[in-house]
Amino acid sequence: MKEILIYLSQTYWKLDKHAITYILENCNERSVAKGEVLLKEGEVCRHVWFVKKGLLRAYQRQPSSPDKIFSNWFMTENNVATSVLSFFNECKSEEAIVAEEDGIVFEMLKKDLFIGIEQRPCMAVLTLLIVIKYYCQSRFNETFLRMKEPQLIFQAMLADNPELLQRPRQKDVASYLGVSGPVFREIKSGKYKQKRK
């Protein structure tokens, strides 16, 4: 856990020794097996996870066609994972979170996170900066998905985190981009041409 706290302090905001002690006392290390579900659809998400090792995937079903499943995001080492809407709104989650590889996560209950934020200002700043990072990433993706420009998200992933295109199943990456397998292959090969109406 200490190496992750160092990473967070160096990447986002420096944690003081009291915050580090609080986090160490209130996080549980959890081994997860490939296929293990951390959050089921319909459950209220009460945890935040920090990935030490492995790959998690958030996915949900299309409401009008429940047999169709779409990936919402992938979380690898040093990523924070939670079901954002369920976690913050305390509602039933429309998505599930599953381990796509054997791994290790650190999990903290929402109540413990918020007590830490209230008591330790550096935890509040750290949490704010993490939320801002993921909000910006989500906004970028939403913009290009709405414009039907999935190749731009692919290019950003390729530049910023190419392993996110290697480790998940290719059909899951395609579903994240909102395209079919053949279209995803065209995007990867650079031959994709957006069909104009």
Side-chain angles (χ1 to χ4, degrees), residues 1 17 25 30 33 45 56 76 81-82 106 110-111 113 129 131 137 141 148 154 161 179 188:
M1 181 73 191
K17 64 180 181 178
E25 290 173 352
R30 175 177 171 183
C45 184
L56 304 180
T76 57
T82 195
F106 293 103
K110 178 181 179 179
K111 69 176 185 65
L113 174 64
L129 292 174
V131 169
Q137 196 169 35
N141 291 346
K148 302 197 182 325
F154 174 83
N161 197 348
V179 298
K188 285 197 318 184

Side-chain angles (χ1 to χ4, degrees), residues 158-176:
L158 191 60
D160 297 339
N161 197 348
E163 74 176 289
L164 274 186
L165 299 169
Q166 304 295 324
R167 289 169 67 179
R169 295 176 299 188
Q170 296 301 283
K171 71 174 191 170
D172 293 334
V173 177
S175 77
Y176 171 70

Side-chain angles (χ1 to χ4, degrees), residues 177-193:
L177 295 174
V179 298
S180 66
V183 170
F184 181 53
R185 285 190 288 280
E186 286 181 17
I187 290 171
K188 285 197 318 184
S189 70
K191 297 177 182 174
Y192 176 74
K193 301 286 186 226

Side-chain angles (χ1 to χ4, degrees), residues 2 6 24 31 45 62 66 70 77 81 88 97 108 129 144 161 163 169 185 195:
K2 287 186 179 178
I6 291 168
L24 289 171
S31 294
C45 184
Q62 182 175 331
F70 294 90
E77 289 80 9
F88 287 108
I97 299 176
M108 180 181 272
L129 292 174
F144 290 111
N161 197 348
E163 74 176 289
R169 295 176 299 188
R185 285 190 288 280
K195 292 169 179 62

